[in-house]
Each structure stands twice: as structure tokens, then as C-alpha cells.
């Protein structure tokens, strides 16, 4: 069977498969950023963390032969960067936007530097689950060949929801993010909570990076990321600081990002680059439509300094 | 504004003055970053002294090195200004890359219909076209902030990605020169329209343009009512409104001027270096500009100095690669370390100033 025999169905199938693949790193970075922002800090540097995670994951998977060990190391590398961000931003009067940008520079620099010897070798990729086993149509099988990390990501979104809204630690995190004074009055360790939240964010962003190098696109190169780490900040605003929304937003972004390659797959190539920009255009459009001048960030944690 | 918590004792007579500190701390920060970087390259099996020697040699050690450094510094000054000018009004606009590539594209195509014209008007037209498109792109971020409350940092980043996509779409589609096979480019501009080399320096005239714009920005921001008004708007929009400043106009105006700087940088790269608009324009100048502006604390003249330093560091990367086999990214690591150390030193200096003032 070929593409022609299932007709126009090939396009939505390609978009579905693409959405699942493209959205996975978005799920991890956006939920990571969400946890950090809930503590009242913004980490603009997740792009660097993502690249570092992608490199570390690929390197460890190649050296050890175990992709899951790679995922874990990617998370740990990201966590180390989160710790760095958390400590640096604990210095009073430090500009957290600028620290974020400097960590993008340092993270990509380290990833490119240490990853130079990794461009040639082939690391064992993450396995995927063939949910399309029931079908004999290759497009259906391709679309439903889903990486296990995708399901981890979905579970993560719900777990974070429960953590934030149903646990004492979640309450502490939200209090620290909403009002530093209230948190201090309650005796919460504000700085420690923020540092741990940034580390957790870095851990997840690192895992998101390892998906890029170990599953899709599935190799290490310097052009691996197309700004997923930077987009995380926009995604969290779009998701209004809710983890389930962040999951939905990531899927939507994934779908928008899959549009270009899917159309190219069925022979529409004219607007390839513009369709690749679809996630960015979509985010901007939604931000324009959903914010208002009077209350730009009504749902934002109170300590978050998005407007200076 | 000020908080009084956390200050137990105020030294009656400080050992050093605040102004001495504000010079000493960044220097210490760069030294610290250099020490960390030295440890990093030593860990990688290289002699730090050799590496630093090559950085100085590759960036500033010969007239050829200086030419490379200066021609890299020219766009860095402009993209630095593109961050620093809106920063006066309290804006953090960091999407210079998109404005730069679109400005370059505009510069590359605007003279194509005019063959055999005089060079100077054509050169001015290229810079003007680049500046206009860049200004329009950043202006959008300003408008969205003032009228829709969309955070300008995020919107400018999104616009940057969109701008790069538009650039690819046009250079690989409608505006592509069919003769450019392996590297999609626009039709080359008339060679006589290329920006001349500055006599005696050996660097293209774009360097002079960017220096003039930096001096102009310094004069306007420091000595005119415009600079003052911009700082008032940046300090507090409410105060600015109270004294009768049209805040929207100032914010959007600053964004447009800033985008114009980034657009001119792109047009200069096309009119002086590339000769066409192609993917060589997308090398991260826009992102380096953020670094330059923050290291220079958004002061136009300091931007020139920092742009030279960063330009020199970037110029030395190829020497490090040739001699020691160190990857290009080595200098990226060094830049990141310097950036972090200087930012933290700045924050500490600011705290100390506040302590001594009380």
C-alpha cells in the first residue's frame, strides 16, 4: 500500500504522528519552566539546558549502550544547570533575564564543545511502542509508533497538577511564587524552594533535550534545537501557568510544527519555511488575542517579574 | 523602591569608593571568568597560557587580526545598540536576529531594479531599506506591548523566529537567484554598489557607519531631552504620563529606532561582506548583541569597546581551531563565563552602592 491508496487521510495521519513526536520535548521543557515560574523565578536559559541535555544524553547512550541511562544523565546535566541558575539568581539585584541568556550561551557552548566528537558515531536510540500494530497501513503504523517518553510526559503533566494543587510541598511552592512576604511569614525557606524548583525545571528540560538527540530527530548535531527551550517561556504564558494546559499547548505546538513536514510529505513544498514558523505565529497570535492591556498576566505567580 | 531589610551595620568610612568599585568589580569578574576558562581548557589537555596567547594573537595580534576583529565588531555595535536603546525605556527586546536578517534581505533587493546608478545614493538606499524593515519588525513588538500588553521580550523572540522563516521562504523562493545552486541567495548586488574599504584601515565603511551611530546614540541619550524623556519613561510610566510624556510614542519610537539599528547591521553585512542575502547572515549576531549590550551596561560608547572585545574573541576562534584543534564553541564557553561573572559582579556592585549610600 502507498500514500495514494489512503488518499487525503495521509495528511492528518502525518500531522498526528508529527504532533506526537514534535510535542514531546515541548511537554518536558514547558512543564519544567512552569515549575520554576511557579516559584516566582523565570529561567530564560532552558535553551542552553536543552542542548546540554541533548548532548549529554547522546554521549552517555553512546558510551554505555543504554539510552535510558542517557536520559537520566541528560536530566542530571540539566539539573546541574538549574542549580547554577538558581544560585546565580539568588544574588540580590541580579538580572534574571540576562542570567538566562548567559546560560544559553554557556550551555550551547559547552554542548557544542563537548559534543564535537559525537557528530559521527551512532548512539542507541530510545525504543518506541508500536501502537499501530493492528493496522496494515504503513502510514498508520508510522504515525502510531510512539516513544515511551511521550507517555511519561503526559503522566508528568497530571502528576505536576496533583503535586501543585494537592500536596503540602506544592502549596509551599505556590506560596513562595505568589508572595515572598507571606512565605517568609509562614517560615518557608524561600531561596531553597526557588533553587530546588529551578533544578527540577532544569532536570525536565534536560530530558526534553535527550528526546531530541535520542528519538526525534535522533542524532546529535549543532542545529538540533529549533528554539524549543526559548519557546517554553511563551508556552507557559500561553498555558496560564497550568500544567494540564501546558500539555495541551505542547500538543498544539507539536501539531503546528508538524504541519510543514507533513505537507512536504504529500508534495506541498511551496511554503515549507512559513509552515515551520507556524508554532511561533500561533503563539504570538494567541498571546495577542488572550492578553489585555489592563491585566496582562492575571494568572501569573505574584512574584514573577515579567514586566519591569 | 528601596528595602531596608537585611542591613545590620553601615560602614562609617568605606575603604574604596563606589566609583572605584564599579570599575574594579567587572575587571575582577573578567579575571575570574578567565581563571575558570583556563581550568576548563587545562582539563581538556591544553596549556592555558598557549590558549590565551592565541586568543590575543588571533584577535589583536596583527593587522590582519585587527581587520577581522573590526569587521566583526561593526555589526556587534549595532545589534548591541538595538538592545541598549530600548533598555533605556525599560524594555528588554532581544530578537535582534530577525530584524538583522530581514534588514539584510531588504538591503539586498532594494537596489536590484537600478542598474548603473551612482554608488552613494544606492548605498544609502540599502542602509535606509534595512533600517526601515528592521524598525518595522521591532516596532511591532513595541505596539503589541503598549496596546495588547504582550511581553516584549517574548514577542520579539517569536518575531525573530518568524523573521528568519520569512527570510528563508523568500531567499529560497520568490527572491532566489536561480544561479545560486548549493547556497540559496538573492541576486547579487551590483559590485560597484558595495560599501568601500576605509582607506588606511582595510575595513569596510560599515564600521564607520556603526561608530557614527554609536556616537549619535551616546549624544542623544546623554545630552538631549529625548534621552532624558526615555529614561523617565523607563523609570516609571506613571510619572512620565504625569509630566505629559506620550508614553506609547516613546516606547514604540525607541523600539523602531532599535530595530532600525539591527536592520542596518544586516544591510551592512550584505552591502559590505556578502553581496547577496543568504544564510550566512544567520550566524547569531543578534544574540551576541544581547551579550554586548548587557556587558556594556547599555552605554553606547562602552558598547563599542565591548564589541571590539567580543569581536576579537570571535575572530580568534579560527586560530584556536587551526593550531590546537579546539572547536569553534570554545569561545562560546568563554563568552558565557564572562557574561555570567560580569552580571553577578554588577549585581554585587549595585548592592554595595546602595549600602554605602545609606
Amino acid at each position: 500500500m502507498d500514500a495514494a491508496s489512503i488518499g487525503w487521510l495521509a495528511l492528518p495521519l502525518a500531522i498526528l504522528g508529527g504532533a506526537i513526536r514534535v510535542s514531546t520535548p515541548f511537554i518536558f521543557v514547558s512543564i519544567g519552566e512552569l515549575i520554576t515560574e511557579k516559584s516566582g523565578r523565570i529561567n530564560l536559559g532552558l535553551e542552553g539546558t536543552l542542548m546540554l541535555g541533548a548532548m549529554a544524553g547522546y554521549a552517555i547512550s553512546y558510551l554505555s549502550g543504554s539510552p535510558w541511562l542517557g536520559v537520566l544523565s541528560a536530566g542530571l546535566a540539566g539539573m546541574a544547570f538549574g542549580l547554577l541558575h538558581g544560585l546565580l539568581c539568588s544574588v540580590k539585584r541580579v538580572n534574571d533575564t540576562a542570567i538566562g541568556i548567559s546560560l544559553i550561551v554557556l550551555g550551547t557552548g559547552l554542548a557544542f564543545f563537548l559534543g564535537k566528537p559525537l557528530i559521527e558515531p551512532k548512539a542507541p536510540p530510545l525504543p518506541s511502542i508500536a501502537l499501530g500494530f493492528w493496522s496494515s497501513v504503513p502510514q498508520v503504523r508510522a504515525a502510531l509508533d510512539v516513544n515511551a517518553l511521550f507517555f511519561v510526559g503526559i503522566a508528568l503533566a497530571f502528576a505536576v497538577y496533583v503535586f501543585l494543587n494537592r500536596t503540602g510541598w506544592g502549596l509551599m511552592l505556590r506560596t513562595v511564587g505568589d508572595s515572598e512576604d507571606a512565605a517568609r511569614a509562614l517560615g518557608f525557606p524561600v531561596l531553597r524552594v526557588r533553587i530546588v524548583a529551578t533544578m527540577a525545571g532544569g532536570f525536565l528540560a534536560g530530558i526534553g533535550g535527550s528526546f531530541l538527540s535520542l528519538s526525534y530527530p535522533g542524532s546529535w548535531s549543532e542545529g538540533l534545537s529549533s528554539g524549543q527551550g526559548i519557546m517554553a517561556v511563551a508556552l507557559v504564558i500561553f498555558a496560564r501557568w497550568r500544567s494540564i494546559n501546558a500539555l495541551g499547548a505542547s500538543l498544539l505546538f507539536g501539531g503546528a510544527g508538524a504541519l510543514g513536514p507533513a505537507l512536504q510529505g504529500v508534495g506541498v513544498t511551496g511554503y515549507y519555511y512559513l509552515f515551520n514558523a507556524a508554532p511561533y505565529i500561533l503563539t504570538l497570535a494567541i498571546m495577542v488575542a488572550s492578553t489585555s492591556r489592563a491585566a496582562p498576566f492575571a494568572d501569573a505567580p505574584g512574584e514573577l517579574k515579567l514586566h519591569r | 523602591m528601596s528595602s531596608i531589610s537585611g542591613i545590620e551595620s553601615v560602614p562609617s568610612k568605606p575603604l574604596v569608593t563606589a566609583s572605584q568599585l564599579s570599575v574594579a568589580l567587572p575587571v575582577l569578574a573578567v579575571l575570574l571568568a578567565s581563571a575558570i576558562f583556563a581550568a576548563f581548557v587545562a582539563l581538556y589537555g591544553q596549556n592555558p597560557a598557549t590558549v590565551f596567547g592565541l586568543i590575543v594573537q588571533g584577535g589583536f595580534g596583527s593587522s590582519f587580526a585587527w581587520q577581522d576583529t573590526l569587521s566583526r565588531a561593526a555589526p556587534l555595535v549595532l545589534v548591541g545598540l538595538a538592545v541598549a536603546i530600548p533598555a533605556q525605556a525599560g524594555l528588554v527586546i532581544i530578537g535582534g536576529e530577525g530584524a538583522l536578517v530581514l534588514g539584510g534581505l531588504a538591503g539586498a533587493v532594494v537596489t536590484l531594479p537600478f542598474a548603473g546608478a551612482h554608488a552613494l545614493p544606492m548605498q544609502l538606499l540599502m542602509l535606509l531599506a534595512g533600517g526601515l524593515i528592521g524598525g518595522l519588525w521591532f516596532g511591532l513588538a513595541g505596539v503589541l506591548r503598549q496596546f495588547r500588553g504582550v511581553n516584549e521580550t517574548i514577542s520579539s523572540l517569536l518575531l525573530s523566529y518568524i523573521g528568519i522563516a520569512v527570510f528563508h521562504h523568500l531567499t529560497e523562493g520568490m527572491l532566489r537567484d536561480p544561479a545560486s545552486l548549493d547556497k540559496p541567495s538573492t541576486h547579487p548586488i551590483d559590485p560597484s554598489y558595495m560599501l568601500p574599504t576605509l582607506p588606511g584601515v582595510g575595513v569596510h565603511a560599515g564600521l564607520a557607519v556603526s561608530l557614527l551611530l554609536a556616537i549619535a546614540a551616546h549624544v542623544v541619550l546623554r545630552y538631549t531631552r529625548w534621552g532624558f524623556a526615555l529614561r523617565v519613561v523607563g523609570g516609571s510610566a506613571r510619572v512620565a504620563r504625569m509630566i505629559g510624556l506620550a508614553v506609547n510614542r516613546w516606547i514604540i519610537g525607541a523600539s523602531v529606532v532599535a530595530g532600525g539599528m539591527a536592520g542596518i547591521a544586516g544591510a551592512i553585512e550584505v552591502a559590505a561582506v556578502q553581496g547577496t542575502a543568504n544564510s550566512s547572515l544567520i550566524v547569531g549576531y543578534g544574540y551576541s548583541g544581547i551579550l554586548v549590550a548587557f556587558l556594556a551596561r547599555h552605554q553606547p560608547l562602552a558598547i563599542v569597546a565591548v564589541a571590539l572585545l567580543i569581536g576579537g574573541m570571535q575572530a580568534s576562534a579560527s586560530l584556536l581551531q587551526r593550531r590546537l584543534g579546539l572547536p569553534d564553541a570554545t569561545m562560546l564557553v568563554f563568552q558565557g563565563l564572562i557574561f555570567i561573572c560580569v552580571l553577578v559582579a554588577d549585581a554585587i556592585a549595585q548592592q554595595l552602592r546602595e549600602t554605602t549610600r545609606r
Side-chain angles (χ1 to χ4, degrees), chain A residues 37-225:
Chain A
E37 290 193 14
K38 273 287 184 190
S39 80
R41 281 216 185 125
I42 188 160
N43 184 356
L44 212 59
L46 285 188
E47 180 72 16
T49 312
L50 186 89
M51 287 308 280
L52 198 67
M55 187 279 300
Y58 199 75
I60 298 300
S61 170
Y62 171 65
L63 294 173
S64 72
S66 159
W68 290 106
L69 204 59
V71 172
L72 181 68
S73 342
L76 292 177
M79 199 154 111
F81 245 54
L83 175 65
L84 184 61
H85 183 283
L87 291 176
L88 291 171
C89 288
S90 298
V91 178
K92 252 191 231 164
R93 297 258 167 231
V94 87
N95 182 327
D96 53 354
T97 312
I99 287 286
I101 298 162
S102 60
L103 286 179
I104 297 181
V105 177
L106 185 65
T108 36
L110 281 175
F112 290 0
F113 185 98
L114 301 170
K116 202 76 187 175
L118 297 172
I119 294 177
E120 284 293 311
K122 192 84 199 82
L126 282 170
S128 54
I129 301 163
L131 290 182
F133 60 87
W134 47 270
S135 169
S136 61
V137 182
Q139 284 88 348
V140 174
R141 281 170 163 271
L144 294 180
D145 201 30
V146 180
N147 192 291
L149 269 187
F150 176 71
F151 297 108
V152 176
I154 291 178
L156 181 73
F158 289 95
V160 168
Y161 174 84
V162 171
F163 169 77
L164 286 174
N165 298 297
R166 298 278 184 277
T167 68
W169 284 11
L171 180 67
M172 178 160 78
L173 180 69
R174 283 188 291 133
T175 312
V176 167
D178 272 328
S179 164
E180 196 172 328
D181 292 337
R184 283 196 198 287
L186 288 167
F188 292 154
V190 173
L191 282 185
R192 216 183 314 154
V193 168
R194 288 188 175 153
I195 291 171
V196 170
T198 316
M199 286 169 75
F203 185 81
L204 295 181
I207 289 181
S210 72
F211 179 87
L212 289 176
S213 60
L214 290 175
S215 177
Y216 181 80
S219 66
W220 165 251
S221 78
E222 297 190 352
L224 190 60
S225 161

Side-chain angles (χ1 to χ4, degrees), chain B residues 7 43 72 76 106 153 221 240 251 299:
Chain B
I7 314 283
L43 218 66
R72 284 168 195 269
L76 286 178
T153 312
L221 292 177
I251 297 263
Q299 305 290 322

